[in-house]
Amino acid sequence: MRNVRVELSAEREDLYEPLMRGACTVAQVEAAYRLVFQVEPLWEWLLERGFVELCSRERYDLLEVKLASALDHVWRNRDLPVLDAGASGTSARAVLTVAANLAGKDHTSLRNTLYDLDEDHMRPVAEAMMYAAGFLDGSADPWGNEDPGAERGWGPNSLAREERLEEM
């Protein structure tokens, strides 16, 4: 583990590892956390508003994203410019809804949420949904771009996840 201890004020790239540690090995939560991290204005908004919490454990720090609280805040302040103004704010709001849904923190239908996504955010959302469904590299290939001759679940993508889980 590279980032055993971290501060919330650390460089963005230094927060990714503790963020993924906070996902608790659940692929759907991993996908949700990766998604909000990829949308930089949303990630910054979550940090600034205190929706990302630093949790210290005996061996390492991890980050927890309070997706339900953040989404509740957005819905309560729907008429205010909660995120960025304009279309990207609407899209970031939709990304937050998808992430909360993937993590099991919201049960809003994704059907209407997808229309609010802009071109920049559609790809990370699609990748997150595929990751949550078990396509760990975000591809529609049932083998996950792994060698079809390899035993299923033992290719480079699966092994990378297994190695990370062993470190925990």
Side-chain angles (χ1 to χ4, degrees):
M1 278 189 262
R2 195 179 113 221
N3 296 316
V4 175
R5 300 289 173 211
V6 70
E7 297 286 327
L8 286 176
S9 60
E11 294 293 320
R12 179 178 163 78
E13 59 272 4
D14 292 334
L15 295 177
Y16 183 74
E17 185 179 317
L19 174 69
M20 294 311 291
R21 253 185 250 128
C24 298
T25 71
V26 177
Q28 293 80 6
V29 178
E30 288 178 3
Y33 281 16
R34 284 179 72 220
L35 178 57
V36 296
F37 188 80
Q38 287 175 317
V39 179
E40 194 166 348
L42 176 58
W43 177 252
E44 293 302 322
W45 182 84
L46 290 166
L47 277 173
E48 289 170 9
R49 302 297 188 293
F51 294 117
V52 178
E53 183 179 305
L54 177 65
C55 302
S56 293
R57 300 290 189 257
E58 186 178 321
R59 292 180 35 223
Y60 51 79
D61 291 343
L62 56 88
L63 300 180
E64 181 181 333
V65 183
K66 306 230 178 245
L67 293 168
S69 299
L71 192 59
D72 182 56
H73 176 78
V74 167
W75 285 112
R76 281 187 286 114
N77 298 292
R78 192 176 185 139
D79 296 333
L80 300 174
V82 177
L83 299 172
D84 293 334
S88 65
T90 302
S91 184
R93 211 182 302 226
V95 170
L96 178 60
T97 303
V98 171
N101 199 290
L102 287 174
K105 303 298 182 182
D106 181 62
H107 301 290
T108 302
S109 170
L110 294 179
R111 180 179 183 191
N112 296 324
T113 304
L114 296 176
Y115 294 108
D116 290 332
L117 292 166
D118 63 25
E119 187 176 333
D120 293 334
H121 297 150
M122 183 56 82
R123 183 184 183 111
V125 164
E127 289 173 353
M129 293 175 80
M130 293 177 74
Y131 187 95
F135 298 98
L136 301 182
D137 70 344
S139 85
D141 178 0
W143 284 97
N145 283 334
E146 295 179 346
D147 178 11
E151 184 179 343
R152 189 162 176 83
W154 293 101
N157 298 311
S158 298
L159 290 178
R161 183 168 191 264
E162 292 298 321
E163 288 169 2
R164 195 180 84 246
L165 294 177
E166 285 177 12
E167 287 182 354
M168 299 175 102

